[in-house]
Amino acid sequence: MSPGAIPGQSRQPRPVGRYVPARGIYTESARLQRLGWLRSITRLGLGSLQHTQLDAGKLTGNIEGFVGTVEIPVGVAGPLLFHGDNVQGEIYAPMATTEGALVSSATRGALAVTMAGGVSTHAVAQTMTRAPVFAFTRLSAAGRFASEILQHLGDLRTVIRQVSDHAELVSIEPVVLGRTVHLRFRYTTGDAAGQNMTTACTWHACQWILERPHLIEGEELESFIIEGNTSGDKKASSQAVAEGRGIRVSADCVLPGGVVERVLKTTSDDLVRGYQHIAAGAVHSGVLGSNANTANIVAAIFTATGQDIACVHESGAGQFLLERTPDGVYASMTLPGLAVGTVGGGTHLPTQQELLEAMGCTGRGSAARLAEIIAGFALALDLSTVSAAVSGQFASAHERLGRNRPVRWFQREELDARFFESALGHSVMPGVKVRSVETAHIPMGPSVLSELTSRTVKKAVGLFPMQLRVDHDDVEQKLDVMVKVKPTDREVIKMGGMAAALCGGPVAAHYRRFEQRLGFVGCDVRELALYEQTDSRFTSLIPELYRTYRDDRREAYVIVMECLGDMERMDTSDHARGWSRRHLGIALRDLGQLHSVWYGKESGLRRMPWIGHVPNAADMVEMKELWLALADHSAQEFPELVGERHHDRLVSCIGTIDRWWPQIEAMPRTLVHNDCNPRNLAIRADGRLCAYDWELATLHIPQHDLAELLCTALEPGDIDAAVVEELSEVHRRSLESHARTPIDRSQWESGYRLALMDLAVNRFGLYFVAHTVRHYGFLEQWWRNLWSLIDLAEAADGS
């Protein structure tokens, strides 16, 4: 139910103090004004929204705050031969989808059905329901109202005819639940789906009821709501499956065994046997109806033809049936509540209208025709899908056609003169000519993510140092560059899952549950976006960028940057050695500058499309089982590092996470590096920090980077209260200065202590999972430093 469909609904006042674009103005200039506003708050170009073929003036009732359109690929499935009440002959169906293999699978099913003689279809009935609820003071009043309202069906029909020429009230069913009465109004709505139409009709009918004292006596009525949630609107319900809501439509066919074998690549026996297993699974899991993927056809045709896409939930509850016949298979599909229309809603939009016309679904009686077409193609798709599952083709089809389709990956050989001319020409050397490209031999330590992921993918990922001979401004010179080719976030998550699987048991199970919340989603694009930032507080402290290159179709995420040389403390081994207090002071001073860019701008940072999943208290509490599994694994696999004392303290931290993580969430946060250790940091010769490998950056308290740097870079002998306090103050004062805002010292120290606990529970647990796969020499010292720092922080806090 659309809230805007209720007449007389009050408008909400505009918030004071910020610009809100007018939602009710339907002109192209207003659209562009809103788009400009959106660009200003997102800091994105949003070029794909600049142009649209839709006339803003014709979208009243379809959209508010109109800024642009989204293109969805439309494919054509078929032909499918119909012998229906409302459709005959061969029909092609448009399907708007981004799911590979859908159109091909529907076409294969349509071919099998057509070769077998076609599909018979029958639109059984149409009904649209709306169910207001009246709450009374006592059950007796509710019962009396339910009894008397049935005597006024004719009066209510008269009221409704004054509201709509298309809606016809069929019946009213009062349902008494305690002292409430749900009135289920049942309508026919012609060629409209009728959700908004029946809402308006029901509203006026209820106003008529409320004005009749003999129906509503005195103070008996407490409240009235236009929809009490018993109509099944946009919800799959057993009531809708049994009684229907929308058009109830059926389709069936008989497939000879030869067609099953030639087209569907299985046998009649195997097809029916497989269907029986799938149907039994549906019964066990409580699925409403039983089908393979009816919602796919419903969603694809709904999107292509301007239907209310939210109704896929109820409309996709189909009943698919297969029976063995002497010569083959009988198949049927029943859709009990297909909420479709060929007028109203989005059916008037140009593309949607053309696609309806292409199927002959315009004019009187066309809604029933559209319903039969959807039912026929739903039957074809389920036949193809179940056959593919039975014969083992399901996964292979998606591998070839779907999200796992073969990708023309970015190759190392593409790092040629033309590529680098483009890279340098876009930045520091316009008009440059690259004469030669050679691989440079520079020892380096790859990032943990790239190194582990490179073992699981068959493409080039990692760091590639290159030496270029270039001509620029008539001067020949050599230039060293570093090319970083990143794995996709899916590959990183998969790699993590494989490592977790090697740990077995609870670690593997809980990693799978929470893999989308561990900071890896979006790690491929996040670093590219960050290198493209323009704030000098940020760009002055990262490697110089020459170019980023992104091609999602090729899974190519490439950064071309300066090849870092003449650096102090650029670690290339498993151990961070030689980070003096001077180096740490420089790093923490400049981290304060980096953190100032987004400090106090949390809402803006959350809107950045590249930020990914932001850690929060609710998630951290829900993920307790994962943290406990990681703690147990660390203690069992590495008892020499994680002894009983550390394990007990970890378990205690996890047990109270619902008390201390909300404190983190309440503190001022900013963009943090989130992998702030000597593997990803260096000090330039001029005394500036250089921070790289930003793929895990996230929204967190700035003390998170402080805590991580101290536990990974401090020499054990320097871990004492005075040194830690001095370095912490360098960071706090720098951030305070660059952000131009006072930062309470006691709150800062509290945040630092909590950040150490967060690292122990979260980051180090994952480090030990990686340590199971590949030995990391740095881990032992980092772990011991962490607990030394926690001991100091707790002693200072009096814990």
Side-chain angles (χ1 to χ4, degrees):
M1 178 181 67
S2 173
I6 301 176
Q9 184 183 26
S10 62
R11 294 186 178 182
Q12 296 298 315
R14 290 186 180 182
V16 177
R18 62 184 178 90
Y19 168 67
V20 178
R23 289 183 169 83
I25 301 176
Y26 290 89
T27 65
E28 178 64 6
S29 61
R31 180 187 77 84
L32 292 174
Q33 181 186 7
R34 284 188 291 266
L35 180 57
W37 166 79
L38 185 60
R39 285 170 171 153
S40 71
I41 64 169
T42 62
R43 301 181 183 179
L44 297 173
L46 302 178
S48 62
L49 295 176
Q50 180 67 31
H51 302 287
T52 175
Q53 296 183 10
L54 296 183
D55 182 349
K58 296 180 179 179
L59 296 178
T60 53
N62 290 117
I63 191 74
E64 299 80 39
F66 178 49
V67 296
T69 54
V70 174
E71 280 197 88
I72 301 175
V74 177
V76 177
L80 176 58
L81 178 60
F82 280 83
H83 306 287
D85 292 349
N86 296 279
V87 54
Q88 298 84 34
E90 290 189 343
I91 297 293
Y92 291 87
M95 298 181 184
T97 182
T98 56
E99 180 173 356
L102 173 60
V103 174
S104 293
S105 185
T107 296
R108 184 176 78 140
L111 173 62
V113 174
T114 299
M115 287 179 62
V119 59
S120 298
T121 55
H122 176 51
V124 181
Q126 183 205 45
T127 182
M128 181 52 61
T129 58
R130 184 60 66 204
V133 58
F134 295 79
F136 294 87
T137 55
R138 297 295 301 274
L139 172 62
S140 57
R144 184 172 60 254
F145 172 76
S147 176
E148 293 181 359
I149 195 66
L150 294 175
Q151 302 173 28
H152 295 277
L153 183 60
D155 296 326
L156 293 172
R157 283 176 175 156
T158 301
V159 172
I160 287 165
R161 289 192 193 103
Q162 296 171 358
V163 179
S164 172
D165 294 330
H166 303 287
E168 184 71 28
L169 180 61
V170 176
S171 65
I172 298 177
E173 179 192 358
V175 178
V176 179
L177 299 176
R179 58 189 181 91
T180 65
V181 179
H182 294 256
L183 286 186
R184 298 189 68 243
F185 285 69
R186 297 172 64 86
Y187 299 86
T188 60
T189 56
D191 286 309
Q195 292 98 319
N196 289 345
M197 179 194 304
T198 55
T199 298
C201 290
T202 306
W203 173 267
H204 283 279
C206 290
Q207 298 308 303
W208 184 90
I209 292 170
L210 294 172
E211 293 168 359
R212 298 300 180 275
H214 66 282
L215 291 176
I216 309 293
E217 295 184 5
E219 302 297 324
E220 290 182 336
L221 182 68
E222 284 189 349
S223 62
F224 150 74
I225 303 173
I226 187 61
E227 175 55 64
N229 218 17
T230 59
S231 71
D233 187 17
K234 297 180 176 65
K235 303 164 193 72
S237 67
S238 56
Q239 177 176 270
V241 170
E243 300 178 8
R245 185 176 189 272
I247 298 178
R248 186 179 187 90
V249 60
S250 295
D252 74 351
C253 67
V254 177
L255 299 177
V259 172
V260 173
E261 293 174 9
R262 289 196 306 275
V263 181
L264 300 180
K265 307 301 182 184
T266 186
T267 67
S268 298
D269 286 337
D270 287 346
L271 178 57
V272 174
R273 187 182 302 114
Y275 156 76
Q276 290 170 341
H277 295 320
I278 293 171
V283 172
H284 174 75
S285 59
V287 172
L288 293 176
S290 176
N291 62 80
N293 55 3
T294 303
N296 258 331
I297 286 291
V298 174
I301 298 182
F302 269 31
T303 305
T305 60
Q307 309 301 313
D308 188 336
I309 302 174
C311 290
V312 168
H313 200 54
E314 56 188 298
S315 298
Q319 183 66 52
F320 179 54
L321 175 66
L322 288 183
E323 298 176 16
R324 187 71 164 90
T325 66
D327 185 43
V329 175
Y330 169 81
S332 72
M333 172 67 73
T334 298
L335 302 177
L338 199 55
V340 293
T342 52
V343 296
T347 62
H348 72 95
L349 299 177
T351 301
Q352 289 83 340
Q353 182 69 23
E354 288 180 358
L355 293 176
L356 284 169
E357 289 176 356
M359 291 187 289
C361 292
T362 56
R364 188 174 182 84
S366 54
R369 177 184 174 91
L370 178 59
E372 291 186 16
I373 291 173
I374 293 173
F377 275 94
L379 175 62
L381 178 64
D382 264 28
L383 279 168
S384 180
T385 302
V386 175
S387 298
V390 169
S391 62
Q393 304 166 63
F394 185 77
S396 63
H398 281 77
E399 189 73 28
R400 288 182 290 107
L401 301 170
R403 68 191 68 186
N404 297 319
R405 62 195 179 280
V407 176
R408 187 170 65 87
W409 288 317
F410 185 87
Q411 300 296 320
R412 186 169 180 175
E413 291 73 28
E414 294 180 62
L415 299 175
D416 56 14
R418 182 179 177 182
F419 179 86
F420 286 110
E421 282 181 359
S422 175
L424 300 174
H426 276 83
S427 53
V428 295
M429 295 181 174
V432 68
K433 295 295 181 183
V434 177
R435 300 303 182 187
S436 66
V437 178
E438 297 179 0
T439 300
H441 300 285
I442 301 174
M444 68 192 73
S447 73
V448 173
L449 292 183
S450 294
E451 180 188 25
L452 288 176
T453 308
S454 65
R455 303 181 182 191
T456 65
V457 297
K458 299 178 180 178
K459 62 181 181 181
V461 297
L463 299 173
F464 304 97
M466 315 292 288
Q467 187 173 82
L468 315 179
R469 186 169 61 85
V470 304
D471 287 341
H472 184 241
D473 292 340
D474 297 324
V475 177
E476 181 175 317
Q477 57 182 297
K478 290 183 177 180
L479 180 67
D480 292 330
V481 300
M482 181 66 71
V483 181
K484 184 174 186 178
V485 182
K486 301 177 63 59
T488 67
D489 59 356
R490 295 191 309 274
E491 290 163 346
V492 172
I493 292 169
K494 179 181 177 181
M495 173 275 299
M498 294 173 66
L502 291 174
C503 299
V507 171
H510 296 308
Y511 179 92
R512 286 194 299 271
R513 285 179 58 199
F514 301 115
E515 62 184 11
Q516 300 294 312
R517 308 190 211 174
L518 293 173
F520 302 134
V521 173
C523 64
D524 43 12
V525 299
R526 187 178 309 125
E527 187 169 25
L528 272 68
L530 283 170
Y531 272 102
E532 292 170 352
Q533 299 299 299
T534 58
D535 193 307
S536 62
R537 289 173 294 174
F538 188 86
T539 57
S540 64
L541 299 175
I542 64 173
E544 183 179 7
L545 174 70
Y546 297 135
R547 181 189 184 185
T548 62
Y549 173 77
R550 174 180 176 180
D551 188 339
D552 294 333
R553 294 170 300 178
R554 301 188 61 197
E555 300 180 355
Y557 306 96
V558 184
I559 301 170
V560 184
M561 66 188 104
E562 69 170 309
C563 190
L564 299 175
D566 193 24
M567 295 277 175
E568 298 180 45
R569 304 285 73 80
M570 185 170 178
D571 180 54
T572 59
S573 70
D574 277 344
H575 296 275
R577 292 188 295 267
W579 276 74
S580 67
R581 287 162 62 180
R582 181 181 74 85
H583 294 127
L584 285 168
I586 292 171
L588 290 168
R589 177 202 67 195
D590 289 346
L591 276 175
Q593 176 178 315
L594 285 171
H595 289 154
S596 71
V597 176
W598 289 100
Y599 191 74
K601 302 175 182 177
E602 181 175 326
S603 60
L605 186 58
R606 284 182 178 275
R607 289 195 297 268
M608 293 297 101
W610 42 261
I611 191 61
H613 181 79
V614 173
N616 59 77
D619 278 352
M620 294 297 290
V621 172
E622 186 181 354
M623 296 164 72
K624 269 186 178 182
E625 291 173 294
L626 174 61
W627 310 138
L628 289 170
L630 293 176
D632 292 343
H633 165 74
S634 303
Q636 291 163 8
E637 289 296 318
F638 308 104
E640 70 283 2
L641 289 180
V642 187
E644 184 175 347
R645 172 175 171 268
H646 285 158
H647 178 259
D648 289 344
R649 294 180 72 183
L650 269 177
V651 171
S652 176
C653 282
I654 296 166
T656 58
I657 201 169
D658 58 338
R659 296 205 295 269
W660 57 267
W661 228 99
Q663 297 176 47
I664 291 179
E665 197 169 27
M667 292 180 179
R669 289 186 282 178
T670 186
L671 181 79
V672 298
H673 186 283
N674 198 32
D675 203 12
C676 191
N677 62 69
R679 294 171 64 88
N680 303 320
L681 305 174
I683 305 297
R684 294 186 183 272
D686 63 0
R688 284 182 296 132
L689 174 70
C690 183
Y692 42 95
D693 286 351
W694 285 85
E695 51 259 280
L696 294 181
T698 191
L699 174 66
H700 212 300
I701 56 175
Q703 297 95 313
H704 186 279
D705 281 349
L706 165 67
E708 188 169 20
L709 180 59
L710 291 183
C711 76
T712 59
L714 268 174
E715 293 287 347
D718 284 334
I719 298 180
D720 68 52
V723 171
V724 170
E725 180 180 349
E726 174 190 332
L727 293 172
S728 176
E729 276 298 281
V730 168
H731 187 202
R732 185 187 68 83
R733 287 196 297 267
S734 173
L735 176 57
E736 194 175 56
S737 172
H738 286 287
R740 299 179 180 179
T741 185
I743 300 174
D744 181 75
R745 182 170 176 175
S746 62
Q747 185 189 60
W748 179 266
E749 291 170 351
S750 176
Y752 162 72
R753 178 176 59 83
L754 296 175
L756 287 169
M757 295 168 62
D758 185 50
L759 284 169
V761 168
N762 183 342
R763 175 57 53 81
F764 276 85
L766 295 173
Y767 272 146
F768 279 111
V769 170
H771 196 53
T772 306
V773 180
R774 193 258 200 216
H775 178 78
Y776 291 105
F778 58 77
L779 187 56
E780 178 177 354
Q781 188 58 62
W782 289 8
W783 177 251
R784 298 192 189 286
N785 282 359
L786 171 69
W787 286 101
S788 296
L789 291 169
I790 289 176
D791 289 339
L792 279 179
E794 290 181 347
D797 187 56
S799 303

